[in-house]
Amino acid sequence: MRKIKTIGVLTSGGDAPGMNGAIRAVVRAGIHYGMKVMGIRRGYTGLITGDMHEMNLRSVSDIIHRGGTILQTVRCPEFTTQEGMEKAMSMARVFSLDAVVVIGGDGSYMGAREISKLGMPVIGLPGTIDNDIACTDYTIGYDTALNTVQDAIDKIRDTAYSHERCSVVEVMGRNAGYIALNVGISGGAEVVLLPEKSFDMDSDVIKPIIEGRNRGKKNYIVIVAEGVGGAIELAKDIEKRTGLGSRATILGHLQRGGSPTVRDRVMSSIMGVKAVELLNDGIINRVVCFKEEKIVDFDIDEALSMKKTIEDEIIEISKILAL
Ligand code: ADP
Ligand code: F6P
């Protein structure tokens, strides 16, 4: 394979705190290894339209502490079509891109795999607050989102305590309950409802609240993942059936923003450098991951064939602790 001289970097799918750290690392490592680095704006849309510019050391100054992504991101349906992909490939040739680093979730990896099949070398970096990418135990943005949600739950608990109420808190995660389960444990929730597990209102929600009351509990936190939904109705139902004053809070997009934590800054930086080092060594079509406390990489096809399941043991632990 010929030496990689020019690489593109883009962020795609939902933004996540730490994406800027990854962009910064790709740019600085790329320049360190003598490459030209093109920042592609607005995900795959920028690849299709040629919305890209050369980045230098200073283009990524003062961004490591900022949430969001300086390159911006969109969901790009056109890219999923044959025509869109061909446009992207011809634009990549116009800008002499030898490889593209894609920072995003598994949808973005699917796009990356498609262009790799058309001859464009790619490297994927895991960027999503959901932590739902199968090949990796950690995704960029997850730690910041957990801490943001935890901070919100602590505040909600203060008022739930004062008023002796039940607070139903809806957290992000359409298909994945990692945020819900973990903040359920760290926030001392009485009930956690996950998209991966069906639940019964009587035995999984009302019963633990009533049993808690019989043991002297006065306030309650119920965490509902977005994929389960219905937080407002759930709060009304709890109030009706238990007589306990109940309020719903939907945390929404505040979970996606904010200054990245140290963990997200460090991990995104290490992963970004690793992506460039793979390319510099002529290793392509890989996804950088964190597995068993180590930074590793997998073939993109293998990565996309992996499955991730929420651990039943951790769900059980959260139930034991909710007593
Ligand atoms: P995430 O990367 O966070 O999972 P999405 O699932 O929205 O986010 O995917 C981001 C983008 O990746 C999509 O808007 C689309 O442009 C591209 N993409 C997703 N799936 C495919 C696919 N099967 N083929 C080509 N491109 C895809
Ligand atoms: O994938 C991250 C995520 O925040 C999910 O938790 C959520 O379901 C989704 O993105 C919302 O995306 P958007 O509001 O950008 O369409």
Side-chain angles (χ1 to χ4, degrees):
M1 207 189 109
R2 72 190 172 90
K3 187 85 187 145
I4 288 175
K5 292 196 193 117
T6 304
I7 59 175
V9 56
L10 62 82
T11 47
S12 167
D15 66 345
M19 281 184 162
N20 283 330
I23 296 167
R24 173 176 175 270
V26 169
V27 171
R28 295 220 167 139
I31 292 169
H32 171 81
Y33 287 107
M35 298 170 188
K36 179 172 165 183
V37 185
M38 302 294 290
I40 302 167
R41 287 192 204 88
R42 304 173 71 238
Y44 290 120
T45 303
L47 195 56
I48 290 175
T49 59
D51 186 4
M52 58 185 93
H53 59 289
E54 185 173 351
M55 299 183 87
N56 60 39
L57 295 173
R58 296 282 70 79
S59 332
V60 290
S61 295
D62 290 323
I63 65 165
I64 195 163
H65 60 293
R66 283 169 55 189
T69 155
I70 58 159
L71 291 175
Q72 300 187 293
T73 177
V74 292
R75 297 206 165 84
C76 175
E78 190 185 356
F79 192 71
T80 61
T81 66
Q82 191 60 30
E83 202 194 345
M85 215 143 318
E86 277 162 16
K87 276 195 209 162
M89 287 301 290
S90 56
M91 203 47 88
R93 279 189 287 274
V94 170
F95 285 91
S96 307
L97 297 185
D98 298 314
V100 179
V101 177
V102 173
I103 307 165
D106 48 12
S108 304
Y109 286 2
M110 284 195 248
R113 177 171 61 183
E114 292 308 311
I115 49 167
S116 76
K117 283 190 207 148
L118 297 176
M120 173 55 63
V122 295
I123 299 287
L125 290 182
T128 166
I129 65 161
D130 289 348
N131 198 28
D132 61 346
I133 303 180
C135 59
T136 184
D137 298 336
Y138 161 88
T139 60
I140 296 165
Y142 176 55
D143 189 60
T144 306
L146 285 178
N147 282 286
T148 301
V149 176
Q150 183 54 62
D151 181 53
I153 290 173
D154 288 346
K155 288 175 175 146
I156 290 167
R157 192 178 270 290
D158 287 345
T159 167
Y161 169 84
S162 304
H163 288 266
E164 299 192 349
R165 278 178 180 154
C166 171
S167 268
V168 178
V169 186
E170 186 176 308
V171 303
M172 271 189 165
R174 208 171 283 157
N175 304 309
Y178 294 99
I179 294 180
L181 180 59
N182 284 289
V183 296
I185 292 174
S186 66
E190 278 66 38
V191 177
V192 179
L193 303 178
L194 307 170
E196 293 89 344
K197 300 277 166 195
S198 56
F199 74 96
D200 175 73
M201 188 67 190
D202 289 325
S203 57
D204 296 321
V205 181
I206 302 298
K207 189 165 168 258
I209 291 176
I210 290 175
E211 285 176 354
R213 180 157 64 193
N214 294 341
R215 287 192 303 270
K217 233 175 226 228
K218 296 268 196 286
N219 61 84
Y220 307 80
I221 300 284
V222 173
I223 305 285
V224 191
E226 178 191 359
V228 175
I232 295 171
E233 295 72 32
L234 197 67
K236 282 188 189 147
D237 206 18
I238 291 171
E239 182 160 316
K240 200 164 105 201
R241 294 169 70 174
T242 64
L244 188 71
S246 301
R247 297 287 186 272
T249 308
I250 298 171
L251 293 180
H253 286 81
L254 78 82
Q255 298 163 90
R256 283 244 294 263
S259 181
T261 57
V262 171
R263 181 165 165 80
D264 276 330
R265 294 182 199 197
V266 173
M267 292 294 281
S268 60
S269 300
I270 295 173
M271 287 179 156
V273 172
K274 175 82 179 173
V276 173
E277 287 182 342
L278 288 171
L279 292 173
N280 192 51
D281 293 340
I283 303 168
I284 58 168
N285 304 336
R286 309 288 291 180
V287 174
V288 179
C289 305
F290 186 67
K291 268 273 179 214
E292 291 164 8
E293 304 301 309
K294 285 196 187 68
I295 303 279
V296 292
D297 54 280
F298 292 107
D299 172 76
I300 193 160
D301 262 326
E302 188 189 353
L304 280 168
S305 69
M306 293 180 188
K307 297 269 170 290
K308 191 171 190 173
T309 47
I310 205 146
E311 290 147 311
D312 286 333
E313 197 190 336
I314 310 292
I315 297 176
E316 274 318 302
I317 286 172
S318 86
K319 287 186 182 158
I320 292 169
L321 294 171
L323 261 182

PDB file of all heavy atoms in Angstrom, residues 254-285:
ATOM      1  N   LEU A 254     -29.099  18.238  27.459  1.00  0.00           N
ATOM      2  CA  LEU A 254     -28.031  18.746  28.345  1.00  0.00           C
ATOM      3  C   LEU A 254     -27.012  17.640  28.612  1.00  0.00           C
ATOM      4  O   LEU A 254     -25.845  17.899  28.907  1.00  0.00           O
ATOM      5  CB  LEU A 254     -28.592  19.353  29.639  1.00  0.00           C
ATOM      6  CG  LEU A 254     -29.068  18.495  30.807  1.00  0.00           C
ATOM      7  CD1 LEU A 254     -27.907  18.041  31.668  1.00  0.00           C
ATOM      8  CD2 LEU A 254     -30.050  19.274  31.636  1.00  0.00           C
ATOM      9  N   GLN A 255     -27.468  16.384  28.444  1.00  0.00           N
ATOM     10  CA  GLN A 255     -26.569  15.244  28.651  1.00  0.00           C
ATOM     11  C   GLN A 255     -25.505  15.120  27.573  1.00  0.00           C
ATOM     12  O   GLN A 255     -24.532  14.406  27.723  1.00  0.00           O
ATOM     13  CB  GLN A 255     -27.372  13.934  28.662  1.00  0.00           C
ATOM     14  CG  GLN A 255     -28.379  13.860  29.778  1.00  0.00           C
ATOM     15  CD  GLN A 255     -29.422  12.776  29.524  1.00  0.00           C
ATOM     16  OE1 GLN A 255     -29.244  11.637  29.909  1.00  0.00           O
ATOM     17  NE2 GLN A 255     -30.513  13.131  28.880  1.00  0.00           N
ATOM     18  N   ARG A 256     -25.727  15.774  26.441  1.00  0.00           N
ATOM     19  CA  ARG A 256     -24.765  15.633  25.336  1.00  0.00           C
ATOM     20  C   ARG A 256     -23.693  16.712  25.350  1.00  0.00           C
ATOM     21  O   ARG A 256     -22.688  16.609  24.644  1.00  0.00           O
ATOM     22  CB  ARG A 256     -25.518  15.656  24.002  1.00  0.00           C
ATOM     23  CG  ARG A 256     -26.233  14.372  23.672  1.00  0.00           C
ATOM     24  CD  ARG A 256     -25.681  13.702  22.433  1.00  0.00           C
ATOM     25  NE  ARG A 256     -25.920  14.489  21.263  1.00  0.00           N
ATOM     26  CZ  ARG A 256     -26.931  14.299  20.420  1.00  0.00           C
ATOM     27  NH1 ARG A 256     -27.783  13.324  20.620  1.00  0.00           N
ATOM     28  NH2 ARG A 256     -27.075  15.054  19.373  1.00  0.00           N
ATOM     29  N   GLY A 257     -23.941  17.779  26.148  1.00  0.00           N
ATOM     30  CA  GLY A 257     -22.988  18.889  26.111  1.00  0.00           C
ATOM     31  C   GLY A 257     -22.073  18.903  27.309  1.00  0.00           C
ATOM     32  O   GLY A 257     -22.026  17.965  28.100  1.00  0.00           O
ATOM     33  N   GLY A 258     -21.332  19.992  27.422  1.00  0.00           N
ATOM     34  CA  GLY A 258     -20.492  20.214  28.602  1.00  0.00           C
ATOM     35  C   GLY A 258     -19.034  19.881  28.369  1.00  0.00           C
ATOM     36  O   GLY A 258     -18.680  19.141  27.447  1.00  0.00           O
ATOM     37  N   SER A 259     -18.222  20.475  29.236  1.00  0.00           N
ATOM     38  CA  SER A 259     -16.770  20.276  29.153  1.00  0.00           C
ATOM     39  C   SER A 259     -16.437  18.816  29.467  1.00  0.00           C
ATOM     40  O   SER A 259     -16.914  18.268  30.459  1.00  0.00           O
ATOM     41  CB  SER A 259     -16.123  21.220  30.172  1.00  0.00           C
ATOM     42  OG  SER A 259     -14.743  21.079  30.120  1.00  0.00           O
ATOM     43  N   PRO A 260     -15.647  18.159  28.615  1.00  0.00           N
ATOM     44  CA  PRO A 260     -15.347  16.746  28.864  1.00  0.00           C
ATOM     45  C   PRO A 260     -14.572  16.508  30.157  1.00  0.00           C
ATOM     46  O   PRO A 260     -13.766  17.343  30.571  1.00  0.00           O
ATOM     47  CB  PRO A 260     -14.498  16.334  27.649  1.00  0.00           C
ATOM     48  CG  PRO A 260     -14.274  17.531  26.841  1.00  0.00           C
ATOM     49  CD  PRO A 260     -15.058  18.667  27.385  1.00  0.00           C
ATOM     50  N   THR A 261     -14.833  15.370  30.774  1.00  0.00           N
ATOM     51  CA  THR A 261     -14.095  14.980  31.986  1.00  0.00           C
ATOM     52  C   THR A 261     -12.647  14.649  31.614  1.00  0.00           C
ATOM     53  O   THR A 261     -12.316  14.452  30.434  1.00  0.00           O
ATOM     54  CB  THR A 261     -14.718  13.713  32.609  1.00  0.00           C
ATOM     55  OG1 THR A 261     -14.707  12.684  31.604  1.00  0.00           O
ATOM     56  CG2 THR A 261     -16.127  13.954  33.100  1.00  0.00           C
ATOM     57  N   VAL A 262     -11.826  14.511  32.642  1.00  0.00           N
ATOM     58  CA  VAL A 262     -10.418  14.135  32.422  1.00  0.00           C
ATOM     59  C   VAL A 262     -10.355  12.815  31.638  1.00  0.00           C
ATOM     60  O   VAL A 262      -9.592  12.666  30.684  1.00  0.00           O
ATOM     61  CB  VAL A 262      -9.683  13.996  33.778  1.00  0.00           C
ATOM     62  CG1 VAL A 262      -8.302  13.387  33.595  1.00  0.00           C
ATOM     63  CG2 VAL A 262      -9.571  15.361  34.448  1.00  0.00           C
ATOM     64  N   ARG A 263     -11.194  11.867  32.059  1.00  0.00           N
ATOM     65  CA  ARG A 263     -11.168  10.551  31.380  1.00  0.00           C
ATOM     66  C   ARG A 263     -11.473  10.693  29.885  1.00  0.00           C
ATOM     67  O   ARG A 263     -10.771  10.126  29.046  1.00  0.00           O
ATOM     68  CB  ARG A 263     -12.179   9.618  32.044  1.00  0.00           C
ATOM     69  CG  ARG A 263     -12.209   8.213  31.429  1.00  0.00           C
ATOM     70  CD  ARG A 263     -12.937   7.264  32.370  1.00  0.00           C
ATOM     71  NE  ARG A 263     -13.312   6.005  31.745  1.00  0.00           N
ATOM     72  CZ  ARG A 263     -12.494   4.986  31.545  1.00  0.00           C
ATOM     73  NH1 ARG A 263     -11.236   5.080  31.890  1.00  0.00           N
ATOM     74  NH2 ARG A 263     -12.920   3.870  30.990  1.00  0.00           N
ATOM     75  N   ASP A 264     -12.502  11.475  29.561  1.00  0.00           N
ATOM     76  CA  ASP A 264     -12.827  11.643  28.137  1.00  0.00           C
ATOM     77  C   ASP A 264     -11.734  12.400  27.389  1.00  0.00           C
ATOM     78  O   ASP A 264     -11.457  12.108  26.219  1.00  0.00           O
ATOM     79  CB  ASP A 264     -14.184  12.346  27.978  1.00  0.00           C
ATOM     80  CG  ASP A 264     -15.335  11.345  28.057  1.00  0.00           C
ATOM     81  OD1 ASP A 264     -15.138  10.185  27.666  1.00  0.00           O
ATOM     82  OD2 ASP A 264     -16.429  11.723  28.518  1.00  0.00           O
ATOM     83  N   ARG A 265     -11.102  13.355  28.049  1.00  0.00           N
ATOM     84  CA  ARG A 265     -10.014  14.095  27.377  1.00  0.00           C
ATOM     85  C   ARG A 265      -8.813  13.188  27.107  1.00  0.00           C
ATOM     86  O   ARG A 265      -8.236  13.209  26.025  1.00  0.00           O
ATOM     87  CB  ARG A 265      -9.552  15.268  28.246  1.00  0.00           C
ATOM     88  CG  ARG A 265     -10.612  16.329  28.415  1.00  0.00           C
ATOM     89  CD  ARG A 265     -10.089  17.476  29.238  1.00  0.00           C
ATOM     90  NE  ARG A 265     -11.186  18.256  29.783  1.00  0.00           N
ATOM     91  CZ  ARG A 265     -11.065  19.480  30.262  1.00  0.00           C
ATOM     92  NH1 ARG A 265      -9.889  20.080  30.263  1.00  0.00           N
ATOM     93  NH2 ARG A 265     -12.108  20.120  30.742  1.00  0.00           N
ATOM     94  N   VAL A 266      -8.478  12.379  28.131  1.00  0.00           N
ATOM     95  CA  VAL A 266      -7.287  11.534  27.985  1.00  0.00           C
ATOM     96  C   VAL A 266      -7.554  10.412  26.972  1.00  0.00           C
ATOM     97  O   VAL A 266      -6.758  10.169  26.060  1.00  0.00           O
ATOM     98  CB  VAL A 266      -6.864  10.945  29.361  1.00  0.00           C
ATOM     99  CG1 VAL A 266      -5.745   9.924  29.199  1.00  0.00           C
ATOM    100  CG2 VAL A 266      -6.420  12.067  30.293  1.00  0.00           C
ATOM    101  N   MET A 267      -8.711   9.756  27.109  1.00  0.00           N
ATOM    102  CA  MET A 267      -9.004   8.629  26.216  1.00  0.00           C
ATOM    103  C   MET A 267      -9.142   9.080  24.765  1.00  0.00           C
ATOM    104  O   MET A 267      -8.652   8.421  23.852  1.00  0.00           O
ATOM    105  CB  MET A 267     -10.286   7.924  26.669  1.00  0.00           C
ATOM    106  CG  MET A 267     -10.139   7.216  27.993  1.00  0.00           C
ATOM    107  SD  MET A 267      -8.986   5.838  27.906  1.00  0.00           S
ATOM    108  CE  MET A 267     -10.031   4.638  27.158  1.00  0.00           C
ATOM    109  N   SER A 268      -9.808  10.221  24.555  1.00  0.00           N
ATOM    110  CA  SER A 268      -9.970  10.688  23.173  1.00  0.00           C
ATOM    111  C   SER A 268      -8.613  11.062  22.584  1.00  0.00           C
ATOM    112  O   SER A 268      -8.357  10.831  21.401  1.00  0.00           O
ATOM    113  CB  SER A 268     -10.932  11.878  23.114  1.00  0.00           C
ATOM    114  OG  SER A 268     -10.440  12.963  23.900  1.00  0.00           O
ATOM    115  N   SER A 269      -7.737  11.592  23.427  1.00  0.00           N
ATOM    116  CA  SER A 269      -6.399  11.975  22.937  1.00  0.00           C
ATOM    117  C   SER A 269      -5.591  10.735  22.558  1.00  0.00           C
ATOM    118  O   SER A 269      -4.989  10.677  21.474  1.00  0.00           O
ATOM    119  CB  SER A 269      -5.643  12.749  24.022  1.00  0.00           C
ATOM    120  OG  SER A 269      -6.350  13.923  24.364  1.00  0.00           O
ATOM    121  N   ILE A 270      -5.616   9.745  23.440  1.00  0.00           N
ATOM    122  CA  ILE A 270      -4.832   8.521  23.153  1.00  0.00           C
ATOM    123  C   ILE A 270      -5.392   7.810  21.913  1.00  0.00           C
ATOM    124  O   ILE A 270      -4.652   7.381  21.032  1.00  0.00           O
ATOM    125  CB  ILE A 270      -4.840   7.574  24.378  1.00  0.00           C
ATOM    126  CG1 ILE A 270      -4.101   8.238  25.548  1.00  0.00           C
ATOM    127  CG2 ILE A 270      -4.202   6.233  24.045  1.00  0.00           C
ATOM    128  CD1 ILE A 270      -4.186   7.480  26.861  1.00  0.00           C
ATOM    129  N   MET A 271      -6.719   7.730  21.850  1.00  0.00           N
ATOM    130  CA  MET A 271      -7.330   7.029  20.708  1.00  0.00           C
ATOM    131  C   MET A 271      -7.056   7.760  19.392  1.00  0.00           C
ATOM    132  O   MET A 271      -6.837   7.129  18.354  1.00  0.00           O
ATOM    133  CB  MET A 271      -8.838   6.888  20.931  1.00  0.00           C
ATOM    134  CG  MET A 271      -9.169   5.844  21.983  1.00  0.00           C
ATOM    135  SD  MET A 271     -10.955   5.727  22.223  1.00  0.00           S
ATOM    136  CE  MET A 271     -11.099   4.074  22.878  1.00  0.00           C
ATOM    137  N   GLY A 272      -7.071   9.088  19.449  1.00  0.00           N
ATOM    138  CA  GLY A 272      -6.811   9.875  18.229  1.00  0.00           C
ATOM    139  C   GLY A 272      -5.399   9.647  17.714  1.00  0.00           C
ATOM    140  O   GLY A 272      -5.182   9.462  16.504  1.00  0.00           O
ATOM    141  N   VAL A 273      -4.444   9.609  18.635  1.00  0.00           N
ATOM    142  CA  VAL A 273      -3.049   9.365  18.222  1.00  0.00           C
ATOM    143  C   VAL A 273      -2.928   7.947  17.654  1.00  0.00           C
ATOM    144  O   VAL A 273      -2.300   7.713  16.620  1.00  0.00           O
ATOM    145  CB  VAL A 273      -2.070   9.586  19.403  1.00  0.00           C
ATOM    146  CG1 VAL A 273      -0.654   9.154  19.025  1.00  0.00           C
ATOM    147  CG2 VAL A 273      -2.078  11.052  19.835  1.00  0.00           C
ATOM    148  N   LYS A 274      -3.568   7.005  18.328  1.00  0.00           N
ATOM    149  CA  LYS A 274      -3.516   5.597  17.881  1.00  0.00           C
ATOM    150  C   LYS A 274      -4.059   5.457  16.449  1.00  0.00           C
ATOM    151  O   LYS A 274      -3.495   4.725  15.634  1.00  0.00           O
ATOM    152  CB  LYS A 274      -4.337   4.752  18.855  1.00  0.00           C
ATOM    153  CG  LYS A 274      -4.498   3.315  18.482  1.00  0.00           C
ATOM    154  CD  LYS A 274      -3.305   2.481  18.885  1.00  0.00           C
ATOM    155  CE  LYS A 274      -3.547   1.028  18.510  1.00  0.00           C
ATOM    156  NZ  LYS A 274      -2.402   0.189  18.718  1.00  0.00           N
ATOM    157  N   ALA A 275      -5.129   6.191  16.151  1.00  0.00           N
ATOM    158  CA  ALA A 275      -5.714   6.133  14.795  1.00  0.00           C
ATOM    159  C   ALA A 275      -4.673   6.534  13.756  1.00  0.00           C
ATOM    160  O   ALA A 275      -4.500   5.862  12.725  1.00  0.00           O
ATOM    161  CB  ALA A 275      -6.930   7.068  14.716  1.00  0.00           C
ATOM    162  N   VAL A 276      -3.947   7.618  14.034  1.00  0.00           N
ATOM    163  CA  VAL A 276      -2.944   8.100  13.074  1.00  0.00           C
ATOM    164  C   VAL A 276      -1.763   7.132  13.003  1.00  0.00           C
ATOM    165  O   VAL A 276      -1.229   6.852  11.919  1.00  0.00           O
ATOM    166  CB  VAL A 276      -2.471   9.528  13.459  1.00  0.00           C
ATOM    167  CG1 VAL A 276      -1.321   9.976  12.577  1.00  0.00           C
ATOM    168  CG2 VAL A 276      -3.638  10.506  13.362  1.00  0.00           C
ATOM    169  N   GLU A 277      -1.393   6.561  14.134  1.00  0.00           N
ATOM    170  CA  GLU A 277      -0.261   5.625  14.124  1.00  0.00           C
ATOM    171  C   GLU A 277      -0.575   4.378  13.294  1.00  0.00           C
ATOM    172  O   GLU A 277       0.285   3.862  12.591  1.00  0.00           O
ATOM    173  CB  GLU A 277       0.134   5.256  15.561  1.00  0.00           C
ATOM    174  CG  GLU A 277       0.840   6.438  16.211  1.00  0.00           C
ATOM    175  CD  GLU A 277       1.333   6.197  17.626  1.00  0.00           C
ATOM    176  OE1 GLU A 277       0.859   5.234  18.271  1.00  0.00           O
ATOM    177  OE2 GLU A 277       2.164   6.997  18.080  1.00  0.00           O
ATOM    178  N   LEU A 278      -1.824   3.932  13.370  1.00  0.00           N
ATOM    179  CA  LEU A 278      -2.202   2.785  12.534  1.00  0.00           C
ATOM    180  C   LEU A 278      -2.005   3.143  11.063  1.00  0.00           C
ATOM    181  O   LEU A 278      -1.389   2.391  10.307  1.00  0.00           O
ATOM    182  CB  LEU A 278      -3.669   2.399  12.784  1.00  0.00           C
ATOM    183  CG  LEU A 278      -3.965   1.722  14.130  1.00  0.00           C
ATOM    184  CD1 LEU A 278      -5.476   1.593  14.337  1.00  0.00           C
ATOM    185  CD2 LEU A 278      -3.321   0.335  14.208  1.00  0.00           C
ATOM    186  N   LEU A 279      -2.514   4.314  10.679  1.00  0.00           N
ATOM    187  CA  LEU A 279      -2.393   4.731   9.278  1.00  0.00           C
ATOM    188  C   LEU A 279      -0.928   4.898   8.880  1.00  0.00           C
ATOM    189  O   LEU A 279      -0.509   4.504   7.791  1.00  0.00           O
ATOM    190  CB  LEU A 279      -3.152   6.042   9.035  1.00  0.00           C
ATOM    191  CG  LEU A 279      -4.680   5.936   9.141  1.00  0.00           C
ATOM    192  CD1 LEU A 279      -5.322   7.311   9.056  1.00  0.00           C
ATOM    193  CD2 LEU A 279      -5.245   5.019   8.048  1.00  0.00           C
ATOM    194  N   ASN A 280      -0.147   5.460   9.775  1.00  0.00           N
ATOM    195  CA  ASN A 280       1.275   5.674   9.492  1.00  0.00           C
ATOM    196  C   ASN A 280       2.001   4.333   9.279  1.00  0.00           C
ATOM    197  O   ASN A 280       2.936   4.253   8.512  1.00  0.00           O
ATOM    198  CB  ASN A 280       1.913   6.458  10.641  1.00  0.00           C
ATOM    199  CG  ASN A 280       3.286   6.959  10.282  1.00  0.00           C
ATOM    200  OD1 ASN A 280       3.468   7.584   9.228  1.00  0.00           O
ATOM    201  ND2 ASN A 280       4.272   6.690  11.124  1.00  0.00           N
ATOM    202  N   ASP A 281       1.479   3.299   9.963  1.00  0.00           N
ATOM    203  CA  ASP A 281       2.073   1.959   9.796  1.00  0.00           C
ATOM    204  C   ASP A 281       1.429   1.197   8.638  1.00  0.00           C
ATOM    205  O   ASP A 281       1.672  -0.011   8.477  1.00  0.00           O
ATOM    206  CB  ASP A 281       1.895   1.142  11.090  1.00  0.00           C
ATOM    207  CG  ASP A 281       2.716   1.712  12.234  1.00  0.00           C
ATOM    208  OD1 ASP A 281       3.676   2.470  11.964  1.00  0.00           O
ATOM    209  OD2 ASP A 281       2.387   1.420  13.406  1.00  0.00           O
ATOM    210  N   GLY A 282       0.551   1.870   7.893  1.00  0.00           N
ATOM    211  CA  GLY A 282      -0.093   1.220   6.746  1.00  0.00           C
ATOM    212  C   GLY A 282      -1.198   0.259   7.151  1.00  0.00           C
ATOM    213  O   GLY A 282      -1.619  -0.594   6.373  1.00  0.00           O
ATOM    214  N   ILE A 283      -1.690   0.381   8.394  1.00  0.00           N
ATOM    215  CA  ILE A 283      -2.767  -0.520   8.868  1.00  0.00           C
ATOM    216  C   ILE A 283      -4.093   0.222   8.701  1.00  0.00           C
ATOM    217  O   ILE A 283      -4.271   1.316   9.258  1.00  0.00           O
ATOM    218  CB  ILE A 283      -2.532  -0.925  10.342  1.00  0.00           C
ATOM    219  CG1 ILE A 283      -1.151  -1.591  10.463  1.00  0.00           C
ATOM    220  CG2 ILE A 283      -3.631  -1.837  10.851  1.00  0.00           C
ATOM    221  CD1 ILE A 283      -0.675  -1.772  11.888  1.00  0.00           C
ATOM    222  N   ILE A 284      -4.988  -0.352   7.924  1.00  0.00           N
ATOM    223  CA  ILE A 284      -6.218   0.382   7.570  1.00  0.00           C
ATOM    224  C   ILE A 284      -7.483  -0.424   7.882  1.00  0.00           C
ATOM    225  O   ILE A 284      -7.408  -1.616   8.171  1.00  0.00           O
ATOM    226  CB  ILE A 284      -6.216   0.776   6.064  1.00  0.00           C
ATOM    227  CG1 ILE A 284      -6.078  -0.482   5.193  1.00  0.00           C
ATOM    228  CG2 ILE A 284      -5.115   1.787   5.784  1.00  0.00           C
ATOM    229  CD1 ILE A 284      -6.351  -0.251   3.728  1.00  0.00           C
ATOM    230  N   ASN A 285      -8.595   0.283   7.798  1.00  0.00           N
ATOM    231  CA  ASN A 285      -9.927  -0.314   8.001  1.00  0.00           C
ATOM    232  C   ASN A 285     -10.046  -0.985   9.373  1.00  0.00           C
ATOM    233  O   ASN A 285     -10.476  -2.126   9.498  1.00  0.00           O
ATOM    234  CB  ASN A 285     -10.262  -1.291   6.859  1.00  0.00           C
ATOM    235  CG  ASN A 285     -10.163  -0.595   5.509  1.00  0.00           C
ATOM    236  OD1 ASN A 285     -10.289   0.639   5.440  1.00  0.00           O
ATOM    237  ND2 ASN A 285      -9.927  -1.337   4.455  1.00  0.00           N
TER     238      ASN A 285
END
